[in-house]
Amino acid sequence: EETLNITDSFFGPSGKTVIVALEHGTMFGVLPELNDTGKMIEKVLSAGVDGVITSYGIARKYKSLLKDTRLILRMDGGSRELSKSLRFKLLYTVEDALALGASAVICMGFSGGQQQDTLDNVATLAVQCDKVGLPLIAEMLPGGFSNDIPKTPENIKLISRIGAELGAHIVK
């Protein structure tokens, strides 16, 4: 049985990588630094980052700028800017990510909070990613973005284990 070799294919021989997240607008509103998204992408790429996490629309618009970096596509989302609740659901498919040239995909995984369905998203993407050999990064948070469940080392260890058992190749 063949499995993904994340260290060689994603992180390189050193096992290290620097990744910049530029997808906050889908959840938290547009940060002022991202008003000129193209300029920000050029700036982080010229600094030598290894990868960029971004949303579908940004990846599509700036595909030519992102073509020589590891594109990590945010697969889920939901905005708090115009609603009182934050619900994460899968918005794109693995095929969509591959069409944009993604090197990996990322989604949220919450346990113990109101967004338990995010664990379904991690499991669904794990199976889809395994079928095409694409790494899945699960951004695992105990209790999600609420402060109801403390972010203790024990809870972080538990949620990380849950992400790995659901099939994530990398837990953030």
Side-chain angles (χ1 to χ4, degrees):
E1 180 177 314
E2 194 171 318
T3 59
L4 289 173
N5 186 334
I6 302 301
T7 301
D8 290 343
S9 65
F10 194 76
F11 289 97
S14 72
K16 298 178 183 177
T17 190
V18 175
I19 298 169
V20 174
L22 297 174
E23 90 288 19
H24 294 85
T26 60
M27 292 176 269
F28 304 112
V30 179
L31 303 173
E33 296 82 6
L34 293 178
N35 282 337
D36 187 342
T37 306
K39 185 176 180 179
M40 180 56 75
I41 291 171
E42 288 173 346
K43 185 177 181 180
V44 298
L45 293 178
S46 69
V49 302
D50 300 305
V52 173
I53 300 171
T54 196
S55 60
Y56 182 88
I58 299 299
R60 183 183 63 208
K61 181 171 182 173
Y62 298 102
K63 190 174 181 177
S64 63
L65 285 177
L66 295 166
K67 67 179 172 36
D68 294 326
T69 192
R70 291 182 178 99
L71 169 64
I72 303 164
L73 189 67
R74 167 68 60 192
M75 301 295 282
D76 57 354
S79 176
R80 295 201 278 211
E81 287 299 300
L82 300 175
S83 84
K84 293 180 182 175
S85 65
L86 182 61
R87 181 162 183 249
F88 283 84
K89 60 184 228 175
L90 289 180
L91 302 172
Y92 308 103
T93 66
V94 170
E95 289 76 22
D96 297 330
L98 291 172
L100 288 173
S103 299
V105 297
I106 188 167
C107 74
M108 303 302 294
F110 305 147
S111 183
Q114 296 176 353
Q115 302 95 9
Q116 289 284 122
D117 54 344
T118 58
L119 299 181
D120 296 341
N121 296 345
V122 174
T124 297
L125 283 174
V127 172
Q128 292 176 7
C129 285
D130 280 347
K131 288 179 181 176
V132 298
L134 190 66
L136 167 62
I137 302 168
E139 195 167 351
M140 305 299 291
L141 295 173
F145 290 113
S146 76
N147 292 321
D148 296 340
I149 296 179
K151 311 297 191 262
T152 63
E154 295 80 18
N155 288 342
I156 292 169
K157 180 180 174 182
L158 175 61
I159 193 73
S160 297
R161 176 65 186 245
I162 291 169
E165 289 206 16
L166 288 173
H169 301 100
I170 301 166
V171 173
K172 175 180 182 246

